[in-house]
Amino acid sequence: MSTPERVMPPLDADERTSLESWLDFYRSTLAQKCDGLEEHQLREASVAPSSITLLGLVQHMAEVERNWFRRILAQEDAPPIFDNGAGPGTHDGGFDLAEGATYETALAVWQTEIARARAHCAAHSLDDTGPFMGGQVTLRWIYTHMIAEYARHCGHADFLRERLDGLTGV
């Protein structure tokens, strides 16, 4: 799979286009942080005690996409994707890596979840809601949350990538 081009969000778009564009910008940023690295580098943690890896971030974001757009917005029964091998009831949000986890597999799963998210979003207005924490959450709120989630994890990815090969600013 090729890394998606990172497109600057438009400066004068309507609200929905702005939200979608910023989300896609950060999705592409995370993919670029992983681009060109060897499998062992994608599995390498930053510094102790952190166990965060670039591969774990990709797996995590696939889980996050699934949670917000499929479980919450579309109200699908979509179980967790990545099993860390620790047994039932130990789901970690995708951060932990199973023995045989690969970037190729995680990337394909993540891209599939993004495609499903886009399809669900296209079928909803910004004011449409899904159940969350005993209330209702709008698609607008979900977009805003997802942008923040990706931005935070892209910051983690910046540090991981810089530590691996010195690359910054992508």
Side-chain angles (χ1 to χ4, degrees), residues 19-163:
L19 292 168
E20 290 173 350
S21 297
W22 275 108
L23 182 53
D24 282 340
F25 177 84
Y26 283 117
R27 286 168 170 158
S28 298
T29 299
L30 181 57
Q32 285 185 350
K33 294 294 174 185
C34 299
D35 196 37
L37 294 174
E38 300 291 326
E39 190 73 32
H40 73 277
Q41 292 173 302
L42 294 161
R43 298 178 71 86
E44 192 172 324
S46 57
V47 292
S50 176
S51 62
I52 293 177
T53 65
L54 287 168
L55 177 54
L57 285 173
V58 170
Q59 289 184 169
H60 174 67
M61 291 315 299
E63 294 282 7
V64 171
E65 293 272 354
R66 176 177 275 228
N67 182 61
W68 286 104
F69 295 113
R70 293 181 64 191
R71 290 186 194 115
I72 305 295
L73 182 65
Q75 299 177 46
E76 287 183 16
D77 180 19
I81 306 164
F82 297 101
D83 177 7
N84 63 14
T90 60
H91 178 65
D92 71 341
F95 282 115
D96 289 344
L97 304 180
E99 184 73 28
T102 67
Y103 179 67
E104 182 179 352
T105 299
L107 183 62
V109 169
W110 181 40
Q111 295 301 323
T112 297
E113 290 302 322
I114 289 170
R116 288 182 175 167
R118 286 182 177 132
H120 285 308
C121 291
H124 289 85
S125 77
L126 290 177
D127 293 321
D128 285 350
T129 62
F132 181 63
M133 295 181 70
Q136 294 291 310
V137 63
T138 64
L139 175 55
R140 178 183 291 102
W141 190 97
I142 293 170
Y143 271 134
T144 303
H145 173 74
M146 289 296 291
I147 292 165
E149 178 95 6
Y150 269 100
R152 180 174 52 256
H153 290 313
C154 284
H156 297 133
D158 280 335
F159 287 124
L160 284 161
R161 183 64 190 247
E162 183 176 12
R163 182 180 175 279

